[in-house]
Amino acid sequence: MTLLNPSVSIKNLDLSFGAVKVLQNLNLDIGDGEFLVLLGSSGCGKSTLLNVIAGLLEPTDGQVWIKGRNVTWAEPSERGIGMVFQSYALYPQMTVEGNLTFGLRNAKVPKAEIAKRVARAAEILQIEPLLKRKPGALSGGQRQRVAIGRALVRDVEVFLFDEPLSNLDAKLRADLRVELKRLHNNLKNTMIYVTHDQVEAMTLADRIAIMKGGKIMQLGTPAEIYGKPQNLYVADFIGSPSMTFFDGTVEGDVIRIPDHDLPLGTYEFSQRPATGRPAIIGIRPEHVMTGDNLRSAPYTAEVTADLVEPMGSDTLVHCAFGGQTMRVRMDGQAQVKPGDRLMIGIDPGAASLFDKETEARL
Amino acid sequence: MTISDTRPDAGDRAAARRPSRLFRNLPSKIAMLPLIFTAVVVFLGGTIWTVVYSFTKSGLLPRLSWAGLDQYERLWSSRKWIVSIENLAIYGFFSLIGTLVIGFTLAALLDRKIRGEAVFRSIFLYPFALSFIVTGLVWQWILNPELGLQNVVREMGWTGFSFDPLNNPDIVMFGLLIAGLWQGTGLIMCIMLAGLRGIDEDIWKAARVDGIGTVKTYIRVIIPMMRPVFVTSLVLIGAGIVKLYDLVVAQTSGGPGISSEVPAKYVMTAMFGGQNLGQGFAASTMMLVMVVIILIPWAYLEFGGKKHG
Amino acid sequence: MADVGILATTKAAEQPVAALLDGPRGPKPVRRFSRSNIIIYGTLFVVALYYALPLYVMIVTSLKGMPEIRVGNIFAPPLEVTFQPWVKAWQEACTGINCDGLSRGFWNSFQILIPSVILSVAIASVNGYALSMWKFRGSEVFFTLLMIGAFIPYQVMLYPIVIMLREAGLYGSLTGLVLVHVAFGMPINTLLFRNYFASIPEELFKAARVDGAGFWAIFFRIMLPMSLPIFVVALIIQVTGIWNDFLFGVTFTSSPERYPMTVQLNNIVNSVQGVKEYNVNMAATLLTGLVPLVIYFASGKLFVRGIAAGAVKG
């Protein structure tokens, strides 16, 4: 995908530490005002990529462009970026105000201008009462606000976030997530956000780039990533609990998995495989139909509940199906006990089909 | 995706010129100059210089006229050097065992959540803050045969009591050992205590649930877990033993006769007292060899295993 | 065990419940004089005596007159306290031909100490900072070399250093001795600072770079203000180490007038001339040990932390 006027461009980027290739021939264009999330498990290279964009790590090869300027060799402070870190990284011996202004003072920004920018950032983030305090006297959420403020006062086009919410507890994380989304809606800056939390990624992103082994596995909107994962890795990574995968073979209009032939009439193929080709079908727990929805299901079967996990809002039922333990997400009100027989319905149109050999979406 | 084959230097609006490799991170390199000079010129250069000159005929002044292994032959046929080496072996053996045993025992006792831990620790450690000269002189006074410890015990009624290590060539090294242990065990105790405190509390809980006694837990569970701490202690004690010099100078001056001479003192006498530089260089090279013999197994244990792991 | 006194004070309504709890109940009674406690405290006490004894002997001997020492018990407290030995040790004790006491050595040591400590802590802190945050190709090699150097017996390097200093015209001078102290104090202190700075979150350093701060700005404005404790630890190590030095003092000072305190002390006490004045000797010994002792007892936990931090990795 090529954007006409990208805010940040990564071109043919390589980075190796000795023999270890952390980033491999990476290309990525991030649009103006876009919220892009780099998502992946630890060690996938997402933080490394962010550090290269920030200028804190030097690439082995390739270029970084920000706002039409090749900044590959520029100092971090010259790139027009602001950065927010996981551990907040506030200077412990400076007040909140000192933290906010340190960069501006280094850049010899006039005093009046500094005061104006601090006032604006403090207002946006509602940290005015904290300005004279030191970071040690702040709560985790307040510290992270100050850290965001430090990026804000720099008055830059591009914000970089390195897992900014990972050190907060679950409730605070949810609150700040909403605030960040609101901040982006108001400021319309380009934001690049690294996380391993798929809920953060799905809720915040305009587009998500899922990374693995220094490569981008899929780049797309949250809906595309969730609904049409391009490969087995992304399909398995996104969704909690994850898809249940069945090995089978495509035979004309059905996929044959152990004990069942699932009709593929409603499935939108991007490439139709030859008959007899081994394939994998992945079905999300929430796409298995039960109760009233069963009537619209192209395929139904009877299964025995094996293990039941009530989670409040919904209930997860494990049952044997097609040689696997399939996960089925049911309503939280559903009364199911282990050993109960229940009818389930499957719509392959909502499922994902992958070639067994290439692991790419069919 | 766009594939552009422009190299970084082709970017027409590059924000910064790439500095040459030598000048990158320049402030850091400049700041490290004293370290680089010390490590390369003083430590490495000085050591090589001494080793090289130990194969020369240097006497009053260093000169590069080769003598092969002559200096070493003279060294090993010198009675004083042999005595020095024997003394160091005796002192080293007992110092190593004594320091480890006493250090660990004291640390284990202090680790038993006792009252007044800080007071005991201060008392055990303060000698470490003192100069070896001070230590040597105090113990020289306490071990004084006419007025010191021996005299006190005799006055208490045991008139036949005899403990005069500093004037008895056979046991003079033990007189030094008493002072050496007094000064050095506190440090090892501190390191051991830090090691003990670093051990997971759950280990103790598990041992208690399993009904294993305290002493047995220390010997069978805790000590094996503290292997790295013991290795560190061993290296520290070993390096300290080879450097043994000040204490001897202050407490016995090498006497009686030459019965408490040590290698470091031999070197100093040869270099600065006897104007016998070649002997000094050869003897100090032998000291270096001793350290290498101590360090190689340690380096192997510490770093050798990890590389393959 | 159900205690009658406690039962009587509990409310009537709870009594039936409490009465049901037969057998052991509540905290187990503690035996203060258990066998293991007697062994632990007994051992610690005896060992503490061995460690405390020399300090005690130094003090009491230095406060006695010579006649009392000749007839008395080395461990007995002074019958008649006199400060004469202290005055004599400080002002009149002789080394060779000089008879102006240890005060000379004290001031010599002081003059050596101040620049050596300042310079070595300054250099080591910058080294540690550069090594942990601004690594460059080869920086680890130099550091490893420095650490190996810490284990080489000093005697191996002494003579080449004599030559280097002589070539630089510094042999026998105060500057020369200061440089020697700086060089040999470098490994332990650099290690100390390196480990400390390495423990500071890397993100703080990254944040400062995004804020446009360079090598020295980050050092002085971010790192220094947050590393006061480690500076105190380094100061303690260096002050005691340099004050207690004997080897470099004796090797690199040219004349007895310039000897540091330890060298002068050894010369006073171990001089073969004249009558041995044990009280003066002990006063002199105590005077020399006073500076590190004061630092030790004043710094308390920091001293322990210093040697633990330095030694465990060293």
Side-chain angles (χ1 to χ4, degrees):
Chain A
M1 174 167 175
T2 307
L3 294 167
L4 272 178
N5 198 5
S7 172
V8 177
S9 274
I10 311 297
K11 299 182 181 179
N12 298 20
L13 200 74
D14 274 315
L15 182 85
S16 344
F17 294 128
V20 185
K21 289 192 167 172
V22 187
L23 299 175
Q24 300 183 45
N25 196 23
L26 215 77
N27 286 284
L28 181 62
D29 286 339
I30 298 146
D32 217 3
E34 184 178 10
F35 200 122
L36 181 102
V37 172
L38 299 173
L39 178 65
S41 47
S42 65
C44 71
K46 58 189 192 299
S47 276
T48 309
L49 175 58
L50 197 74
N51 277 302
V52 172
I53 296 173
L56 295 165
L57 279 177
E58 292 197 350
T60 314
D61 203 350
Q63 299 179 327
V64 178
W65 293 65
I66 295 177
K67 286 276 148 195
R69 209 160 57 97
N70 182 347
V71 295
T72 311
W73 292 338
E75 278 293 301
S77 52
E78 298 163 355
R79 295 186 172 207
I81 52 138
M83 192 160 177
V84 180
F85 298 92
Q86 177 178 357
S87 65
Y88 324 127
L90 299 178
Y91 312 123
Q93 74 288 351
M94 295 184 192
T95 61
V96 167
E97 193 173 10
N99 268 283
L100 293 179
T101 57
F102 183 63
L104 302 179
R105 283 181 282 143
N106 277 325
K108 308 263 188 299
V109 174
K111 277 217 171 91
E113 174 69 16
I114 293 180
K116 210 175 81 190
R117 290 201 206 169
V118 169
R120 174 169 163 268
E123 196 203 326
I124 293 175
L125 296 163
Q126 296 168 344
I127 51 172
E128 287 116 325
L130 310 177
L131 285 178
K132 298 293 171 208
R133 291 214 216 147
K134 295 218 169 150
L138 304 182
S139 69
Q142 289 171 330
R143 285 183 208 182
Q144 199 50 284
R145 262 171 237 251
V146 175
I148 294 169
R150 187 166 59 184
L152 217 56
V153 292
R154 292 176 58 77
D155 218 8
V156 289
E157 299 291 338
V158 181
F159 281 16
L160 308 176
F161 294 91
D162 193 356
E163 309 223 13
L165 305 182
S166 298
N167 275 11
L168 302 170
D169 63 53
K171 186 173 176 339
L172 208 53
R173 190 155 53 202
D175 293 348
L176 262 168
R177 200 171 70 208
V178 175
E179 275 189 47
L180 267 177
K181 183 139 193 163
R182 198 162 282 145
L183 191 72
H184 180 244
N185 287 344
N186 294 339
L187 294 175
K188 300 268 187 287
N189 289 44
T190 307
M191 295 191 175
I192 305 176
Y193 188 106
V194 165
T195 186
H196 64 269
D197 181 328
Q198 45 174 300
V199 179
E200 270 173 39
M202 298 295 277
T203 51
L204 288 170
D206 293 329
R207 281 193 304 161
I208 299 175
I210 294 188
M211 291 183 67
K212 182 200 174 195
K215 287 180 183 151
I216 293 177
M217 302 304 285
Q218 185 171 358
L219 176 67
T221 64
E224 286 167 2
I225 298 263
Y226 177 80
K228 291 200 161 43
Q230 286 307 305
N231 48 56
L232 200 61
Y233 178 79
V234 173
D236 192 30
F237 187 79
I238 290 289
S240 173
S242 58
M243 285 183 184
T244 314
F245 294 102
F246 303 92
D247 277 342
T249 47
V250 178
E251 311 264 350
D253 259 355
V254 297
I255 174 163
R256 180 162 290 165
I257 64 172
D259 306 331
H260 300 274
D261 287 350
L262 304 179
L264 291 172
T266 47
Y267 187 78
E268 289 173 27
F269 279 100
S270 53
Q271 52 193 107
R272 199 169 258 281
T275 271
R277 181 94 179 152
I280 296 171
I281 184 164
I283 301 170
R284 294 201 184 279
E286 51 271 35
H287 291 157
V288 179
M289 293 174 269
T290 52
D292 294 342
N293 299 333
L294 275 173
R295 258 168 285 150
S296 60
Y299 186 82
T300 55
E302 197 183 23
V303 295
T304 308
D306 177 33
L307 187 81
V308 180
E309 294 181 276
M311 298 197 286
S313 61
D314 43 31
T315 299
L316 201 65
V317 179
H318 298 244
C319 53
F321 180 83
Q324 297 285 327
T325 300
M326 182 163 72
R327 291 173 286 269
V328 179
R329 195 193 290 270
M330 294 178 72
D331 192 276
Q333 306 297 319
Q335 299 292 322
V336 187
K337 297 190 301 294
D340 285 359
R341 303 285 290 170
L342 57 134
M343 288 297 289
I344 55 161
I346 288 166
D347 178 9
S352 295
L353 212 57
F354 304 99
D355 188 283
K356 185 160 172 66
E357 200 178 312
T358 63
E359 299 193 348
R361 187 180 184 84
L362 293 173
Chain B
M1 290 189 191
T2 45
I3 307 284
S4 85
D5 59 2
T6 44
R7 311 307 308 149
D9 47 352
D12 51 346
R13 282 190 288 165
R17 274 190 324 108
R18 165 161 282 193
S20 86
R21 186 159 277 287
L22 186 66
F23 292 108
R24 281 163 77 191
N25 212 348
L26 189 63
S28 179
K29 288 174 184 172
I30 292 174
M32 289 259 287
L33 280 180
L35 184 148
I36 295 170
F37 178 82
T38 305
V40 176
V41 179
V42 181
F43 290 179
L44 183 64
T47 304
I48 292 173
W49 189 95
T50 299
V51 172
V52 168
Y53 273 81
S54 73
F55 297 104
T56 66
K57 290 179 186 153
S58 304
L60 189 62
L61 288 171
R63 59 198 171 97
L64 268 178
S65 65
W66 300 109
L69 290 170
D70 282 4
Q71 299 286 6
Y72 291 92
E73 275 170 28
R74 263 181 66 201
L75 184 69
W76 285 101
S77 57
S78 151
R79 170 103 189 93
K80 194 171 150 191
W81 175 252
I82 302 290
V83 168
S84 299
I85 292 288
E86 283 170 2
N87 281 341
L88 195 69
I90 294 169
Y91 181 91
F93 178 78
F94 287 101
S95 171
L96 208 59
I97 305 280
T99 312
L100 282 179
V101 171
I102 298 172
F104 181 81
T105 309
L106 291 181
L109 290 174
L110 285 187
D111 193 40
R112 301 274 65 199
K113 301 192 175 64
I114 56 146
R115 282 156 190 267
E117 184 201 317
V119 176
F120 281 118
R121 203 185 47 204
S122 305
I123 294 175
F124 297 152
L125 189 57
Y126 87 89
F128 184 70
L130 293 172
S131 163
F132 267 120
I133 301 296
V134 171
T135 301
L137 294 177
V138 176
W139 282 99
Q140 186 193 61
W141 168 229
I142 294 177
L143 296 176
N144 182 303
E146 286 94 38
L147 300 168
L149 186 67
Q150 176 175 281
N151 176 47
V152 172
V153 178
R154 281 181 184 173
E155 280 183 357
M156 283 162 77
W158 290 282
T159 46
F161 179 80
S162 166
F163 187 64
D164 185 13
L166 300 191
N167 293 311
N168 181 345
D170 295 334
I171 55 169
V172 64
M173 287 318 289
F174 292 93
L176 287 167
L177 199 63
I178 291 174
L181 286 178
W182 179 76
Q183 166 144 26
T185 38
L187 168 74
I188 300 302
M189 175 208 72
C190 248
I191 292 169
M192 297 271 184
L193 190 57
L196 285 172
R197 292 277 150 86
I199 282 174
D200 192 348
E201 277 285 312
D202 290 350
I203 295 286
W204 281 106
K205 290 178 187 165
R208 213 175 141 188
V209 171
D210 286 343
I212 304 170
T214 307
V215 175
K216 200 170 177 190
T217 308
Y218 271 120
I219 295 172
R220 302 293 290 276
V221 183
I222 304 297
I223 291 181
M225 284 179 79
M226 293 201 3
R227 201 193 69 103
V229 178
F230 272 89
V231 171
T232 307
S233 304
L234 224 62
V235 171
L236 283 176
I237 302 169
I241 291 168
V242 177
K243 286 176 181 171
L244 178 67
Y245 169 68
D246 315 18
L247 186 67
V248 178
V249 169
Q251 204 177 346
T252 67
S253 309
I258 57 163
S259 53
S260 63
E261 286 287 341
V262 285
K265 191 163 176 295
Y266 185 95
V267 173
M268 294 301 284
T269 314
M271 274 189 200
F272 300 103
Q275 307 296 352
N276 201 344
L277 288 177
Q279 277 295 286
F281 298 148
S284 56
T285 304
M286 290 318 300
M287 289 177 71
L288 181 65
V289 171
M290 283 183 239
V291 172
V292 171
I293 289 171
I294 295 172
L295 281 184
I296 281 180
W298 169 70
Y300 183 77
L301 281 173
E302 283 286 283
F303 308 111
K306 282 177 197 162
K307 272 177 192 154
H308 307 293
Chain C
M1 293 285 278
D3 184 279
V4 179
I6 291 172
L7 269 182
T9 57
T10 51
K11 277 186 246 156
E14 290 169 3
Q15 263 181 2
V17 182
L20 285 173
L21 299 173
D22 268 347
R25 172 165 166 245
K28 193 158 88 179
V30 179
R31 282 196 302 147
R32 190 147 298 176
F33 296 101
S34 67
R35 209 164 57 106
S36 68
N37 265 1
I38 293 173
I39 293 173
I40 290 174
Y41 284 98
T43 314
L44 284 174
F45 196 77
V46 170
V47 179
L49 223 57
Y50 162 64
Y51 282 91
L53 198 70
L55 184 60
Y56 170 79
V57 167
M58 267 194 276
I59 294 170
V60 293
T61 308
S62 72
L63 296 174
K64 291 177 191 173
M66 265 320 280
E68 194 185 329
I69 289 176
R70 274 192 212 99
V71 297
N73 180 324
I74 189 173
F75 302 125
L79 297 169
E80 210 177 310
V81 172
T82 168
F83 291 99
Q84 195 51 41
W86 285 69
V87 176
K88 191 164 182 199
W90 182 251
Q91 289 176 350
E92 299 160 30
C94 296
T95 31
I97 48 161
N98 294 311
C99 284
D100 46 7
L102 256 184
S103 54
R104 174 192 289 274
F106 178 87
W107 291 115
N108 285 343
S109 277
F110 198 74
Q111 282 174 43
I112 296 163
L113 184 74
I114 298 300
S116 306
V117 169
I118 292 173
L119 204 58
S120 60
V121 172
I123 290 178
S125 60
V126 174
N127 284 344
Y129 164 69
L131 280 168
S132 59
M133 299 198 170
W134 298 85
K135 290 195 183 95
F136 53 85
R137 190 181 290 247
S139 61
E140 286 297 299
V141 176
F142 292 123
F143 175 67
T144 310
L145 207 57
L146 187 80
M147 291 318 296
I148 292 173
F151 286 104
I152 298 175
Y154 298 143
Q155 279 79 7
V156 177
M157 297 174 269
L158 280 186
Y159 205 85
I161 295 174
V162 168
I163 294 175
M164 281 183 232
L165 290 177
R166 197 185 281 142
E167 291 300 314
L170 294 170
Y171 181 60
S173 73
L174 188 73
T175 317
L177 184 52
V178 167
L179 289 179
V180 171
H181 278 305
V182 170
F184 284 100
M186 205 181 279
I188 176 77
N189 287 289
T190 299
L191 178 77
L192 193 70
F193 279 104
R194 190 189 83 123
N195 289 352
Y196 181 80
F197 286 124
S199 74
I200 289 178
E202 204 192 352
E203 294 192 338
L204 204 63
F205 169 73
K206 288 181 175 176
R209 283 196 61 196
V210 172
D211 272 340
F215 185 89
W216 293 110
I218 295 177
F219 181 67
F220 282 110
R221 293 174 66 186
I222 311 284
M223 297 304 160
L224 270 200
M226 60 190 293
S227 44
L228 192 68
I230 205 70
F231 269 89
V232 176
V233 169
L235 276 179
I236 293 169
I237 291 179
Q238 279 306 86
V239 170
T240 51
I242 294 170
W243 191 271
N244 288 339
D245 160 67
F246 175 81
L247 182 65
F248 301 138
V250 86
T251 311
F252 295 101
T253 41
S254 49
S255 68
E257 286 95 62
R258 307 284 287 275
Y259 277 155
M261 202 168 186
T262 47
V263 180
Q264 203 192 359
L265 169 75
N266 186 51
N267 289 355
I268 289 174
V269 177
N270 280 330
S271 81
V272 282
Q273 299 146 331
V275 190
K276 287 254 183 194
E277 291 184 286
Y278 298 111
N279 52 355
V280 176
N281 287 352
M282 282 303 107
T285 308
L286 204 48
L287 274 169
T288 310
L290 219 49
V291 167
L293 276 182
V294 166
I295 287 174
Y296 170 72
F297 284 111
S299 62
K301 280 208 156 159
L302 274 175
F303 185 89
V304 178
R305 188 177 148 195
I307 62 165
V312 168
K313 291 225 163 176

